[in-house]
Amino acid sequence: MNTWVKDAIVYQIYPRSFKDSNNDGIGDINGVRSKLDYLQQLGINTLWLSPVYDSPCDDNGYDIRNYQAILAEFGTVQDFDLLLEECHQRGMKLVMDLVINHCSDEHEWFEQSKQSKTGPYADYFYWADEPNDLRSVFGGSAWEYCESRQQFYLHTFSKKQPDLNWECSVLVSEIEQMVDWWLDKGVDGFRVDAISFLDKSGIEDAPNGTFATEACVNRPKGHAHLRKLMSKIHTRDVLSVGEINARDTGELLDYVLPSRNEFQMAIVFTPPEIEVFHENLNRYYKEQVKTRIEVQRQGAWNANFLSNHDKPRQVSLYGDDGEFWLQSAKALAVLNLTQHGTPYLYQGEEIGMTNCYFDEISDYDDIDTVAKYQEQLELGLSSDDALALVSKASRDTSRTPMQWDDSTFAGFSEATPWLKVNENKSTINVKAQQQDTESILHFYQQLIELRLSSETLKTGETSLYDTEDAIIAYQRESDSCTYSVIVNLSPARVSAPNLPELQSAELLLGEELNESLAPYSFAIYKS
Ligand code: TEU
Ligand code: CA
């Protein structure tokens, strides 16, 4: 793995919601470029840009119509080149979001494939005469009938996202050429989207009603395709992170063990409902920490994250966006920035942005939310009950415009944004926190500085203290020093763990450990 990857602090930008430079209500590439000073001052050295390719935006860009063109609403290829150039001038890296499990049904490949069963594009997708009853992640059947071809095509996600057939070698070589085009441009790597489903051999015998993702997940040919593609990508000085579905640590290791030559690290996708409705999130999170420790023990690298564009915001999910908003946001930052592996920050987490819920389903944009709402109506729920249920885990809760200041549209735009601004922008925004040395923003700057200064926090051994559910506590150790991190991830005051070895340690950040830990309190000691 390239050394810069172990020093990376990755900031995920959802371009649609980050900054609108031309006041059309939609974030764009020039908006991202206008905020590079801000990101650099925060201590960010690597950007992960959610898709900016040409797309009909059925799934907000995760449905690509042309892999080598930029979505007009986001700008031009020249705008992109300028962003990349300015990132590199600042010593920052830019990682793209590569969506190659599927493309858009408006992609030329699909336009051609649906015209002929014998033409050169016939096998770029999965076609069937009499398909089984596989389910799509975004609701309904995973098979869609196509009049022009008189057959059904497979779509794991929306019907506007036909799955690409990785058994078709001509298609794979086109994908490889496209990837090289971006690498030759100088991009610094890829976050590879929804990449656990490339092997469709499980489809034929999947029981009716199975989700297509389940029928195809983590199968041998998928790994083989990945090894071939990633071995080419890894000939460059890049970062690679796969977005994978792993049902246990073994399935995760299959993607990230160095000997496997697949990804340098992996973001494990978890359906938002799992966490939102979990009965004991602290226990769930502690299992994540244990998994990371096992990944490290096996000689692999971790990707640490608490938020992204597919799940609710961390301070609302794991912390407290009410009474303990400030403290819990800082406690979560400590967990995200002191573990082994590469930390991933999602836009807005550095100022403690919270979930945002809307009063009408028409206010929601996310295809996944709308599909789940319809499903609940068909199950007989009232529109109010259906909305109340699906809004809790809606991906839109974390996709509202970035809150730069307290103006009408939070400094994101002068025009009405594509998705409503969270009303708490009046108090939660970058401008207010830049002027407050006790703010979450300043705390992130301190933590990132500490992280970047310490080889031990990046690569040191990790051992978990055996503590009650509410307390997440671990050591990070190397030959040169030891850090002890103790976090009370609960709104209750709890008894402090007995750690006599900390008597002689230096408190770097947080509150001195004594008999008890205040709600969401934390401490980072060094010895
Ligand atoms: O997510 C993969 C994925 O499995 C989730 O989309 C999940 O199925 C969905 O959130 C419903 O719970 C990646 C991207 O991160 C996501 O934004 C895309 O919608 C999806 O792939 C398809 O490209
Ligand atoms: Ca714009």
Side-chain angles (χ1 to χ4, degrees), residues 15 89 126 141 162 170 236 299 324 362 366 397 418 427 436 454 462:
Q89 282 169 352
Y126 287 89
S141 169
V170 178
R236 316 282 191 121
F324 299 111
S362 55
D366 177 19
T397 57
W418 67 283
T427 53
D436 171 5
S454 164
T462 311

Side-chain angles (χ1 to χ4, degrees), residues 59 62 99 102 137-138 157 161 191 193-194 243 245 269 272 309-310 368 372 395 399:
D59 185 14
Y62 284 92
V99 187
H102 49 271
V137 164
F138 293 149
F157 294 94
Q161 294 171 292
R191 176 266 190 187
D193 180 72
E243 187 214 27
N245 289 47
F269 174 78
H309 65 293
D310 282 339
D368 183 43
K372 285 172 178 161
R395 301 188 297 179
R399 296 180 177 181

Side-chain angles (χ1 to χ4, degrees), residues 60-73:
N60 281 356
Y62 284 92
D63 50 320
I64 297 171
R65 180 167 50 200
N66 182 338
Y67 286 91
Q68 294 174 223
I70 297 295
L71 177 64
E73 292 173 332

Side-chain angles (χ1 to χ4, degrees), residues 143-160:
W143 296 98
E144 181 71 11
Y145 188 69
C146 174
E147 276 300 334
S148 56
R149 178 144 165 172
Q150 303 281 305
Q151 282 186 306
F152 295 80
Y153 65 87
L154 176 71
H155 58 90
T156 307
F157 294 94
S158 90
K159 61 186 174 188
K160 284 185 69 64

Side-chain angles (χ1 to χ4, degrees), residues 5 53 71 73 134 173 223 242-243 264 302 325 335 433 442:
V5 173
Y53 317 95
L71 177 64
E73 292 173 332
L134 274 185
S173 63
H223 283 291
E243 187 214 27
Q264 294 166 354
N302 281 299
W325 165 74
L335 292 173
Q433 294 193 26
H442 273 90

Side-chain angles (χ1 to χ4, degrees), residues 265-309:
M265 62 193 104
I267 289 171
V268 179
F269 174 78
T270 305
E273 290 78 8
I274 299 284
E275 293 175 282
V276 168
F277 300 114
H278 201 285
E279 56 172 9
N280 186 325
L281 260 186
N282 284 351
R283 198 173 296 163
Y284 177 82
Y285 185 73
K286 208 172 278 187
E287 286 309 307
Q288 311 294 307
V289 178
K290 290 174 184 171
T291 298
R292 292 192 181 105
I293 290 172
E294 179 58 15
V295 166
Q296 180 178 9
R297 205 178 63 78
Q298 295 280 344
W301 192 250
N302 281 299
N304 295 329
F305 67 98
L306 281 161
S307 293
N308 58 43
H309 65 293

Side-chain angles (χ1 to χ4, degrees), residues 19-28 73:
K19 174 64 181 168
D20 171 18
S21 69
N22 63 342
N23 295 319
D24 62 357
I26 297 170
D28 46 57
E73 292 173 332

